[in-house]
Structures are given as structure tokens and as C-alpha cells.
């Protein structure tokens, strides 16, 4: 099962990098979201995928009696999902506002702050 998740994580990383190399803002944002999901799945896979009992210590014991599931990767992933969703919502609103102002989602067309006929910037100072 972990080999399947490793392949899936690799596919997620490949697809996200492909999307982030695009010239369109929406594709870049979808690549960032897919990259976050790949990282979350990678952390989840590193936390060992197993169907064990929850990490509850029985009365009278100092440690769990048998093998238990590790709750730390699950807590980290839950926090990362919340943060990445709010980050995506902010970037989506920012991209939409830029589209309203400029009229394009192409990154080459968004170079309104750069003069069109100027030469290259200086290479050193």
C-alpha cells in the first residue's frame, strides 16, 4: 500500500510542477494547491499507513499495550490543510483582482509595470 502512495505522491509532484511552470495564473495556483496536497500525502505516508488501535493508554499502564497509530502526522496534515486552504483562497482573490485590473491572466501580459521599450536592467552595480 505504501508503494502505491509513493507513486501517487510522485505523480502529484510531477503534475504540480508542470502546472506551476505555466504562464497562466490559474494554472500556477492549481499547481500550488496540488503541490500542497502532495506534501500532505507524503507526510501521511511517512507516518506509516496501518490500521491499528487509536493511541489510548489503558488504565494502569504507562505505555500502550501494543502497536498504535501515530497521531502526529495526522495532526500536522490537518493543520496544513487549513493553512493551505486559506492561502489558496487569498491567492485566488488576488489573482481575480489582478485579472479585473489588467484584463488577462497571462503572466507575460501582466508586465504593465515594466516599460516596453527599455533595455535590460543592469547586470551588476
Amino acid at each position: 500500500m505504501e508503494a502505491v502512495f509513493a507513486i501517487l505522491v510522485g505523480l502529484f509532484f510531477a503534475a504540480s510542477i508542470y502546472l506551476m511552470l505555466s504562464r497562466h495564473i490559474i494554472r500556477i495556483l492549481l499547481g500550488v494547491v496540488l503541490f500542497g496536497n502532495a506534501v500532505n500525502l507524503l507526510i501521511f505516508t511517512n507516518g506509516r499507513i496501518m490500521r491499528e488501535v487509536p493511541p489510548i493508554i489503558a488504565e494502569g499502564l504507562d505505555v500502550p499495550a501494543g502497536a498504535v497509530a501515530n497521531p502526529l502526522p495526522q495532526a500536522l496534515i490537518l493543520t496544513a490543510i487549513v493553512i493551505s486552504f486559506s492561502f489558496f483562497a487569498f491567492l485566488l482573490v488576488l489573482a481575480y483582482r489582478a485579472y479585473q485590473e489588467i484584463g488577462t491572466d497571462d503572466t507575460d501580459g501582466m508586465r504593465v509595470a515594466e516599460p516596453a521599450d527599455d533595455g535590460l536592467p543592469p547586470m551588476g552595480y
Side-chain angles (χ1 to χ4, degrees), residues 77-92:
I77 291 169
L78 184 61
T79 305
I81 288 170
V82 171
I83 292 170
S84 66
F85 180 74
S86 62
F87 181 64
F88 176 66
F90 171 73
L91 288 180
L92 194 62

Side-chain angles (χ1 to χ4, degrees), residues 41-92:
L41 192 58
L42 179 68
I43 293 171
F44 182 70
T45 305
N46 283 338
R48 291 182 309 228
I49 303 168
M50 59 181 175
R51 294 182 180 207
E52 298 295 331
V53 296
I56 298 173
I57 299 173
E59 189 176 335
L61 296 175
D62 291 334
V63 294
V68 294
N70 190 0
L72 183 62
Q74 297 170 8
L76 288 174
I77 291 169
L78 184 61
T79 305
I81 288 170
V82 171
I83 292 170
S84 66
F85 180 74
S86 62
F87 181 64
F88 176 66
F90 171 73
L91 288 180
L92 194 62

Side-chain angles (χ1 to χ4, degrees), residues 17-52:
I17 290 172
Y18 174 77
L19 286 172
M20 285 191 285
L21 292 175
S22 176
R23 289 178 19 185
H24 299 283
I25 294 292
I26 297 300
R27 288 183 185 170
I28 294 171
L29 291 180
L30 290 176
V32 168
V33 168
L34 197 58
F35 192 81
N37 288 338
V39 170
N40 290 341
L41 192 58
L42 179 68
I43 293 171
F44 182 70
T45 305
N46 283 338
R48 291 182 309 228
I49 303 168
M50 59 181 175
R51 294 182 180 207
E52 298 295 331

